[in-house]
Amino acid sequence: MTTPTETYVDASGGDWDEVVAAAQRSQTDRLVINMGPQHPSTHGVLRLILTLDGETVTEARVGIGYLHTGIEKNMEYRTWTQGTTFVTRMDYLTPLFNETAYCLAVEKLLGITDQVPERANVIRVMMMELNRISSHFVAMATFGMELGATTVMTNGFREREMVLDIFEMVTGLRMNHAYIRPGGVAQDLPPGTVGKVRELLTEMPKRLKDMRKLLDANPIYLARTRDVAYLDVTGCLALGVTGPILRAAGLPWDLRKAKPYCGYENYEFDIPVSDGADVYARYRVRMAEIEQSLKIIEQCLDKLKPGPVMIEDPKIGWPAQLALGPDGMGNAPSHIAHIMGKGGSMEALIHHFKLVTEGFRVPPGQAYAAVESPKGELGCFAVSDGGPRPYRVHFRDPSFTNLQAVAAMCEGGTVADVIAAVASIDPVMGGVDR
Amino acid sequence: MTSNGQQGKPNLPEKDNLPRELGTQRINSPIARMGMFGAKTTGDTSGYGRLRVYRHVPAAAQRPYSDPSDPRTAYFDEVADALERSLKEIGTPYDTAISRVVVDRGEITFHVQREHLLDVATRLRDDPALRFELCLGVTGVHYPEDEGNELHAVYALRSITHNYEIRLEVSCPDSDPHIPSIVSVYPTNDWHEREAWDFFGIIFDGHPALTRIHMPDDWHGHPQRKDYPLGGIPVEYRGAKVPPPDQRRSYA
């Protein structure tokens, strides 16, 4: 009998001395470690299979799929409007980007891109930029936590809360909004929104400054992030990596400038870049992007002019502007009066019923629409067969593509750097697995 | 479903049931669905029971591809010209490699023959006049009624140098679901091709490790194909039973 060459040690909540002893007993230098899928620093349920030679990672493989929910398949059985409720749950930290990408694709299929009201576009931009701030804060907060800096975590989540308060006020929910709809947005901004956003605009720069004080020149942070998980422009493009990682490698590529949508060409902002191509550079780019987002939000407030927030075409836009009723439910007194009151319009009732139950029909064809999400290019590819439901919807989620870079970033580095590398990609598994 | 198999419907020959103005092309195109309001039996008395909806087959675009009134299409001819010249350099006739070009909604789609896909992708990436550095992945679409071309693989490509955006579409039959892998040209397609295999069963020949990515390794079937049911169970809500989504009343 030959001696076994492989030893398996289950380290899930077990005795660590046993693990250490087994590693010392082992005759081989090669150690395969399974990190995740339930690991606090894997951003959800991500599984990393690391082959170690001492402290050095010689091979890093990624296992995904633990959060697959079949959103794309499910959407084929719902109307085009119901689709927003699904897509908002994909990358749950950037719900408004998911919704916008989807709605832009549907609008392209319908050929109504130019008919979306100006106010709806301004609201979309404002909500997206607020969302970019909250997403980047979570990226930095979780990153801090994973490196052991809990103050960064609590501060980051506190700052994000300011943004979520605005979301709750506007959409009714902190996450999973389903606020942006094909043709416009679900509702106009409630009174007091502008004041609350202005409050954020004055408060946020101070909070940003605090965050910068904590991290920008922190020697421990620098030691953990400088020259770690290096990936240059060539590597990024080969692996399809976009977003802050690509910009941190020095390429000023941003879809908001390159292929403007929702009227981004009318806003003045810069694309922050860095040439570090490491974890620290990605952090700096994200910080600078938050500052640029604040600049855009300020311009949005100036551009907010009264007007409709949904396309005029009654075949697409839902007829009612819902308001909060005395029973706490959403209803629209003027619309109810129109269909039910004296001389009520039966046709309006039928129309409303048909539009809500059956939905609108989309001419056959296919379209691809992309937005610059906080993580990179978020694309929506939609196919219609002419019916009231999508024939196929596919999302090119940036986290899914960016995660492929884990091997390129981690191999040759130490185990501790794997944590920093994954955190700097900022993947959200809800979007990766969809 | 044959049209004469339904009770309570006039027993007309099939050709008399079609509106007269339909072109031959449309009649020959595959039927996407029949009937309306989801009624599959005699329940539908609306007269829509015999309605046939044909699948839209986008017409091939003729040159010039660029439409002066639409700025989004400005570069389409440049890309097509450069691709034609570039393919000629490696001895591949453009017309055999590209079977059809579709221009629709400000987007251009090149329908590529699968045996030439690798050549086309390589030229698109490397030719200085094209320089499509960024591949945005591949996804599948299943058209069961498109006989002989049931499975489509759709690639989106982006050129950062020229700010171009194009789409490639490759099709293969269900009986021979093979498409060459372009991971050697665009490494980013590694996971995307695995996803398309997992969900549609398209086999990408030459992929380094074509395994399932989202579904468990021992899963049977490819869930996003149209012949794969959605599944689900009825849910009880306040005394009423709500059927699963694919068994609810269909209005289409």
Side-chain angles (χ1 to χ4, degrees), chain A residues 106-153:
Chain A
V106 177
E107 283 158 11
K108 205 177 202 178
L109 280 172
L110 285 163
I112 56 164
T113 311
D114 299 332
Q115 295 166 40
V116 176
E118 171 68 18
R119 187 177 169 87
N121 270 334
V122 175
I123 294 176
R124 281 181 182 184
V125 169
M126 188 181 84
M127 297 295 273
M128 277 195 285
E129 293 307 322
L130 284 167
N131 201 170
R132 191 181 310 277
I133 296 174
S134 70
S135 172
H136 279 349
F137 267 120
V138 174
M140 286 182 280
T142 52
F143 187 25
M145 183 180 66
E146 286 155 19
L147 296 188
T150 42
T151 313
V152 176
M153 191 268 283

Side-chain angles (χ1 to χ4, degrees), chain A residues 87-396:
Chain A
V87 301
T88 191
R89 284 160 171 79
M90 293 188 318
D91 184 341
Y92 41 82
L93 292 182
T94 62
L96 292 155
F97 289 92
N98 304 341
E99 294 169 21
T100 309
Y102 171 71
C103 290
L104 287 176
V106 177
E107 283 158 11
K108 205 177 202 178
L109 280 172
L110 285 163
I112 56 164
T113 311
D114 299 332
Q115 295 166 40
V116 176
E118 171 68 18
R119 187 177 169 87
N121 270 334
V122 175
I123 294 176
R124 281 181 182 184
V125 169
M126 188 181 84
M127 297 295 273
M128 277 195 285
E129 293 307 322
L130 284 167
N131 201 170
R132 191 181 310 277
I133 296 174
S134 70
S135 172
H136 279 349
F137 267 120
V138 174
M140 286 182 280
T142 52
F143 187 25
M145 183 180 66
E146 286 155 19
L147 296 188
T150 42
T151 313
V152 176
M153 191 268 283
T154 48
N155 281 15
F157 276 104
R158 183 190 67 190
E159 269 64 294
R160 172 184 182 239
E161 209 61 25
M162 286 179 69
V163 177
L164 294 193
D165 283 346
I166 295 177
F167 285 169
E168 190 176 1
M169 187 177 185
V170 174
T171 71
L173 292 163
R174 288 153 45 89
M175 295 164 91
N176 305 338
H177 314 285
Y179 177 65
I180 293 164
R181 304 276 174 86
V185 297
Q187 289 176 58
D188 203 353
L189 301 174
T193 312
V194 174
K196 206 157 168 82
V197 175
R198 285 229 187 272
E199 218 171 87
L200 177 130
L201 287 177
T202 50
E203 185 61 24
M204 197 55 94
K206 294 179 213 158
R207 303 276 180 97
L208 264 180
K209 218 166 145 192
D210 287 349
M211 192 70 127
R212 278 192 180 276
K213 266 190 211 156
L214 268 178
L215 293 175
D216 268 14
N218 181 333
I220 304 171
Y221 189 72
L222 287 175
R224 290 295 307 274
T225 57
R226 272 263 170 91
D227 299 325
V228 168
Y230 182 86
L231 191 67
D232 61 9
V233 175
T234 320
C236 284
L237 288 180
L239 292 167
V241 175
T242 47
I245 308 174
L246 180 60
R247 290 191 281 276
L251 190 71
W253 177 255
D254 191 318
L255 287 174
R256 291 176 292 174
K257 290 273 190 203
K259 295 263 179 196
Y261 50 91
C262 293
Y264 265 112
E265 63 273 22
N266 306 323
Y267 295 86
E268 206 178 292
F269 62 99
D270 300 323
I271 310 175
V273 284
S274 171
D275 55 2
D278 55 9
V279 176
Y280 183 67
R282 285 164 212 153
Y283 153 74
R284 291 296 290 253
V285 165
R286 289 202 175 98
M287 267 303 193
E289 276 183 16
I290 294 180
E291 283 159 7
Q292 294 301 320
S293 291
L294 291 173
K295 213 167 127 186
I296 298 173
I297 295 166
E298 201 157 355
Q299 295 171 50
C300 286
L301 291 182
D302 297 337
K303 283 181 198 287
L304 266 183
K305 300 280 180 308
V309 294
M310 186 44 104
I311 189 169
E312 267 183 49
D313 189 345
K315 296 251 181 221
I316 295 165
W318 283 16
Q321 277 294 319
L322 295 180
L324 191 69
D327 54 355
M329 308 286 274
N331 56 27
S334 62
H335 184 64
I336 293 170
H338 175 53
I339 56 177
M340 304 291 276
K342 242 185 199 170
S345 163
M346 189 63 197
E347 288 74 19
L349 181 66
I350 295 171
H351 176 70
H352 192 165
F353 180 78
K354 289 263 289 174
L355 198 57
V356 174
T357 54
E358 182 183 335
F360 52 79
R361 279 160 198 276
V362 173
Q366 47 188 0
Y368 178 82
V371 300
E372 185 73 31
S373 103
K375 277 117 187 160
E377 172 161 355
L378 173 69
C380 173
F381 172 66
V383 184
S384 172
D385 65 347
R389 292 184 254 176
Y391 188 78
R392 165 109 177 97
V393 184
H394 172 73
F395 280 87
R396 188 255 183 215

Side-chain angles (χ1 to χ4, degrees), chain A residues 73 108 366 391-392 434, chain B residues 107 139-140 142 169 195 228:
Chain A
K73 176 93 174 172
K108 205 177 202 178
Q366 47 188 0
Y391 188 78
R392 165 109 177 97
R434 300 178 304 278
Chain B
E107 296 178 349
T139 187
H142 188 212
E169 198 162 329
E195 191 185 278
Y228 192 101

Side-chain angles (χ1 to χ4, degrees), chain A residues 18-70:
Chain A
E18 209 178 283
V19 182
V20 175
Q24 281 167 346
R25 249 196 338 269
S26 169
Q27 297 296 306
T28 56
D29 296 331
R30 193 165 157 271
L31 193 64
V32 182
I33 292 253
N34 181 45
M35 187 173 142
Q38 300 285 356
H39 191 276
S41 62
T42 53
H43 291 246
V45 273
L46 168 69
R47 181 180 173 211
L48 295 167
I49 305 137
L50 307 172
T51 307
L52 306 181
D53 179 6
E55 272 284 296
T56 313
V57 178
T58 53
E59 196 187 338
R61 278 181 290 161
V62 184
I64 62 168
Y66 296 94
L67 225 55
H68 177 58
T69 45

